[in-house]
Amino acid sequence: MYKKLGILFWIVVLALFALCTRIAYLNVAKGDNYSIKVLEQQSFTSKTIPYKRGDILDRNGNVLATSVKVYNLVIDSKVILSNKKYLEPTVNVLTRYFDLNDLRTAIKERKNNSYWVAKKNLEYKDIQKFESYLNYEYADTKEEETTVQNTKGIWFEKKYKRMYPYNDLACSLLGFANSDNSATIGIESSYNSFLQGT
């Protein structure tokens, strides 16, 4: 009995030793190749969540400065060019809803680019029909459904844009906020820590 257990013990030890030796060999000989393969399969998204700058009102509650939500059309050329069946449907759908000149060439020029802002400061009404189309609301035929399914690499990035409803009224007093949500003059600057948002 003890002899059989001893033999089994040494077989397990030898198997573990052989396994460790093989792992060490693969790590030294081909470790870089496997690391690259693993990193290629991993994906991550990094998003800055937009924050709304506070409003400035007069004593009667009239809005003198406010922030409105706008959208940037972002195109991921890498995804679109990853499969040849994605390019044509994506270009056709985008050019139907947005004024984008020579889009096919622009995508091919940015073939390694995963983040390209093609249009800035779109309002919700500008993107509503496009989003409805992608949700099959306007897809009437099987061909349109296929087009929608093959439309890839597009999303809308939310941002806030500073608006002054009364244009230049009290502009010296109010000041202004930059696109990066910082202010240098006027009330916008004086109360920046309160208005800035998180």
Side-chain angles (χ1 to χ4, degrees):
M1 179 78 167
Y2 288 116
K3 193 174 181 181
K4 288 180 182 176
L5 283 174
I7 292 170
L8 183 62
F9 171 77
W10 285 110
I11 289 172
V12 170
V13 168
L14 287 173
L16 288 174
F17 179 75
L19 183 64
C20 290
T21 306
R22 180 70 177 155
I23 290 171
Y25 166 75
L26 288 175
N27 195 23
V28 171
K30 299 180 182 179
D32 291 339
N33 293 339
Y34 287 124
S35 294
I36 289 168
K37 284 183 182 178
V38 168
L39 290 174
E40 283 176 351
Q41 293 174 1
Q42 289 180 344
S43 66
F44 70 94
T45 55
S46 176
K47 286 188 179 180
T48 302
I49 300 171
Y51 50 94
K52 184 178 180 183
R53 190 172 177 84
D55 295 342
I56 298 175
L57 312 173
D58 69 4
R59 69 180 186 171
N60 296 321
N62 297 316
V63 177
L64 301 176
T66 188
S67 294
V68 293
K69 191 182 284 186
V70 292
Y71 301 85
N72 291 340
L73 171 62
V74 179
I75 296 177
D76 187 342
S77 301
K78 238 179 180 178
V79 169
I80 294 170
L81 296 173
S82 67
N83 192 324
K84 62 183 179 183
K85 67 181 181 178
Y86 296 158
L87 180 62
E88 287 305 316
T90 304
V91 168
N92 292 339
V93 170
L94 280 173
T95 53
R96 183 188 307 177
Y97 290 99
F98 303 103
D99 182 28
L100 295 164
N101 296 328
D102 211 11
L103 181 62
R104 189 175 288 101
T105 306
I107 289 172
K108 288 180 179 176
E109 285 174 357
R110 295 168 174 87
K111 63 183 176 185
N112 295 321
N113 199 335
S114 293
Y115 180 86
W116 167 44
V117 179
K119 278 277 205 198
K120 288 185 174 183
N121 297 331
L122 296 166
E123 294 179 15
Y124 182 68
K125 64 183 175 65
D126 299 329
I127 68 168
Q128 190 174 13
K129 282 186 179 177
F130 177 79
E131 287 189 330
S132 297
Y133 180 79
L134 289 186
N135 292 328
Y136 301 104
E137 290 178 25
Y138 294 120
D140 297 328
T141 65
K142 188 72 175 164
E143 184 181 324
E144 282 186 327
E145 277 189 34
T146 306
T147 301
V148 169
Q149 289 169 352
N150 291 330
T151 301
K152 303 288 182 187
I154 303 165
W155 77 89
F156 293 98
E157 179 181 59
K158 294 177 188 173
K159 291 184 79 177
Y160 284 97
K161 180 181 175 184
R162 199 66 168 162
M163 300 289 289
Y164 299 93
Y166 296 103
N167 298 324
D168 57 0
L169 176 73
C171 61
S172 302
L173 177 68
L174 289 174
F176 63 91
N178 300 325
S179 59
D180 63 348
N181 206 16
S182 62
T184 52
I185 60 170
I187 293 173
E188 292 274 23
S189 174
S190 300
Y191 291 94
N192 192 49
S193 59
F194 298 102
L195 295 170
Q196 200 169 31
T198 53

